[in-house]
Amino acid sequence: MSESIVIVGAGQAAAQLAISLRQGGHAGIIRAICDEPYLPYQRPPLSKKFLAEYRDPDSLFLRPATFWNDQNVEFELGVPAGAVDPRQHRVTLTDGRELDYGTLVLATGTSARVLPVPGIELPGVFSLRRIDDVVALRPALNDAHRVVIVGGGYIGLEVAAVVRTEGRIVTVLEAEDRVLKRVTGPATSAFFDRYHREHGVDIRLGARLTAIEGDTRASSVWLASGEMLPADLVLVAAGARANDDLAVAAGLPCQDGVLVDELARTGAPDVFAVGDCTRFPSRRYGRRLRLESVQNAIDQAKAAATTILAREARAPGKPQPYDPVPWFWSDQYDIKLQIAGLTDGYETIDTIGDPAAARFSVEYRSGGRLIAVDAVNDARAHMLSRRRIAEETATEAVS
Ligand code: FAD
């Protein structure tokens, strides 16, 4: 008899885990608990097509309800898990119910970072992580003329592209000295900075938000420089933090992310964690990584499923350690950016192609080895680079 598997969270990673467990022959109960009232859905369109076209939320679902019924995967939706007890093998929901598990998988994702500035709680201030955020944001955007976006990362810039295309006045406040600094190198940042400015977005670099003001709702923002900007709507897109509170309270080792090993095991027996909420060791990159990407959610969930199935003696042989070449994409206007690898620690940069023609790639090397490639409107370069980076960074992966 297979054991009961409880998954906390029902996002991209949880969905993949459930699918891989069933594909691998797990016949026992699979039950996913989620604080959101929706079946597993894809988040990337929230800041892109879904925001622009605003369709039925069902259009985002990764699989229809019939699929999950056929797979006998159970969902408890709209109810957060309030506590986990690894010793008792028990999860307590905030409505008081208790669920016993044989194996627990934390797949709780991330939350939008809340900036500690006065006025952040005013109506008219939004963040963007969930379907319900778009449900609140979209009508407010329709009434807004001047939109201030706090954060020049990929979500902030994607929303800027959508909103600017609608003809609204858009200002992006970025505290760093360039946009997309956390995910890419200077050449790619410069390209997107220029592209947005050419489309009429007012990008302010080194701009730190100090307050949001308004009587009944946000009507202006203040910068550390002393400047005030009028705003009908403020979107805060200033990064995310791992939802590791349950794990912290349960005494599991965490560090802005549940610490897991290369097989997705946490510090507690029978407790695994997958996706955005984890920080895992990468021999390829020589440090622990916390990634926020669909690739990571899917591939780490597959790896975790292999480990769990191997414990059930369903997948003979050694589980495959997870040590990926990360990849990621972002859509802004008519531009598709695809990033493979991680740029941190690069020593040389080569630009191939013509940024002025909006089709080029940027190669990053360290010690002569290719560690990352940004491909702009060049899917072929992206696909090739994933293989090349995997080969050139593999030596450290098998020490
Ligand atoms: P999530 O999909 O976030 O799912 C976690 C779920 O767990 C959530 O529903 C959460 O509410 C729930 N949860 C948390 N705590 C509890 C609790 N205590 N009890 C019950 N449920 C709980 N990635 C890309 O690769 N490309 C992109 O272009 C891209 N664009 C994005 C755009 C936006 C606007 C956002 C928000 C993300 C984007 N991402 C993109 C990132 C990608 O969506 C995430 O990396 C991916 O969803 C992570 O999957 P996950 O299952 O780990 O977490």
Side-chain angles (χ1 to χ4, degrees):
M1 169 77 179
S2 296
E3 60 183 8
S4 152
I5 297 176
V6 170
I7 309 170
V8 181
Q12 186 88 49
Q16 184 59 54
L17 181 82
I19 291 169
S20 296
L21 286 170
R22 285 290 185 242
Q23 282 172 348
H26 176 81
I29 291 170
I30 301 178
R31 182 176 290 162
I33 302 152
C34 197
D35 54 4
E36 292 189 78
Y38 302 103
L39 287 170
Y41 64 90
Q42 34 175 340
R43 280 174 215 280
L46 297 182
S47 49
K48 310 176 180 77
K49 211 170 173 190
F50 186 73
L51 181 66
E53 298 178 358
Y54 196 44
R55 296 215 215 109
D56 186 344
D58 294 16
S59 64
L60 296 175
F61 288 1
L62 291 163
R63 295 283 195 283
T66 48
F67 172 86
W68 298 115
N69 284 338
D70 292 348
Q71 294 293 313
N72 199 16
V73 176
E74 301 168 24
F75 290 96
E76 300 285 348
L77 299 177
V79 51
V84 301
D85 183 340
R87 271 186 312 252
Q88 302 288 330
H89 281 57
R90 185 165 299 153
V91 178
T92 305
L93 309 192
T94 52
D95 63 10
R97 277 179 294 160
E98 292 184 334
L99 304 179
D100 292 336
Y101 64 79
T103 299
L104 176 68
V105 185
L106 300 172
T108 46
T110 53
S111 297
R113 198 155 72 87
V114 180
L115 294 181
V117 298
I120 197 78
E121 72 297 332
L122 277 171
V125 181
F126 296 86
S127 60
L128 181 47
R129 286 271 344 146
R130 304 167 159 224
I131 286 177
D132 286 349
D133 294 333
V134 182
V135 170
L137 173 64
R138 187 60 260 184
L141 267 178
N142 292 344
D143 294 336
H145 185 48
R146 289 160 307 187
V147 175
V148 170
I149 297 173
V150 184
Y154 65 86
I155 292 178
L157 292 186
E158 287 173 355
V159 174
V162 169
V163 174
R164 184 64 204 133
T165 302
E166 294 170 351
R168 300 174 213 285
I169 297 174
V170 182
T171 304
V172 172
L173 307 179
E174 171 52 60
E176 297 285 352
D177 56 358
R178 61 183 173 88
V179 296
L180 295 173
K181 189 167 186 174
R182 200 169 61 85
V183 291
T184 191
T188 305
S189 292
F191 170 80
F192 279 95
D193 186 290
R194 182 173 56 77
Y195 211 77
H196 276 275
R197 288 182 200 272
E198 284 171 1
H199 281 75
V201 175
D202 179 10
I203 296 185
R204 308 288 184 96
L205 300 175
R208 204 166 53 78
L209 178 78
T210 53
I212 303 171
E213 280 188 354
D215 290 335
T216 53
R217 54 184 293 119
S219 59
S220 62
V221 299
W222 287 87
L223 308 186
S225 62
E227 192 178 358
M228 185 273 277
L229 301 173
D232 304 319
L233 185 151
V234 180
L235 174 73
V236 179
R241 65 162 200 89
N243 291 329
D244 59 5
D245 321 45
L246 283 179
V248 169
L252 302 183
C254 295
Q255 204 181 345
D256 181 30
V258 186
L259 297 187
V260 292
D261 67 9
E262 68 284 4
L263 300 179
R265 296 177 297 201
T266 69
D270 307 319
V271 183
F272 294 74
V274 291
D276 276 17
C277 72
T278 69
R279 196 174 283 280
F280 65 92
S282 168
R283 280 197 276 177
R284 187 184 296 281
Y285 289 99
R287 64 182 193 278
R288 282 189 172 272
L289 304 177
R290 189 172 77 69
L291 302 175
E292 293 168 18
S293 72
V294 168
Q295 169 276 319
N296 178 61
I298 290 176
D299 293 342
Q300 195 181 28
K302 286 180 179 173
T306 319
T307 313
I308 294 167
L309 290 164
R311 283 173 5 135
E312 294 179 354
R314 293 191 178 277
K318 247 174 124 188
Q320 198 57 36
Y322 177 64
D323 194 6
V325 172
W327 57 266
F328 187 81
W329 77 92
S330 177
D331 299 327
Q332 297 169 38
Y333 309 102
D334 53 348
I335 303 291
K336 182 174 276 297
L337 167 66
Q338 291 169 292
I339 300 175
L342 299 174
T343 52
D344 319 35
Y346 70 84
E347 289 154 4
T348 62
I349 299 184
D350 296 301
T351 301
I352 293 137
D354 183 8
R359 189 167 190 274
F360 66 100
S361 54
V362 183
E363 300 191 345
Y364 303 83
R365 286 185 174 72
S366 172
R369 293 173 313 129
L370 188 67
I371 56 168
V373 175
D374 301 333
V376 171
N377 284 342
D378 194 343
R380 189 164 178 275
H382 171 68
M383 291 310 292
L384 289 174
S385 70
R386 277 160 51 180
R387 211 172 48 228
R388 289 167 60 207
I389 296 167
E391 284 166 10
E392 295 195 29
T393 56
T395 43
E396 285 177 11
V398 283
S399 58

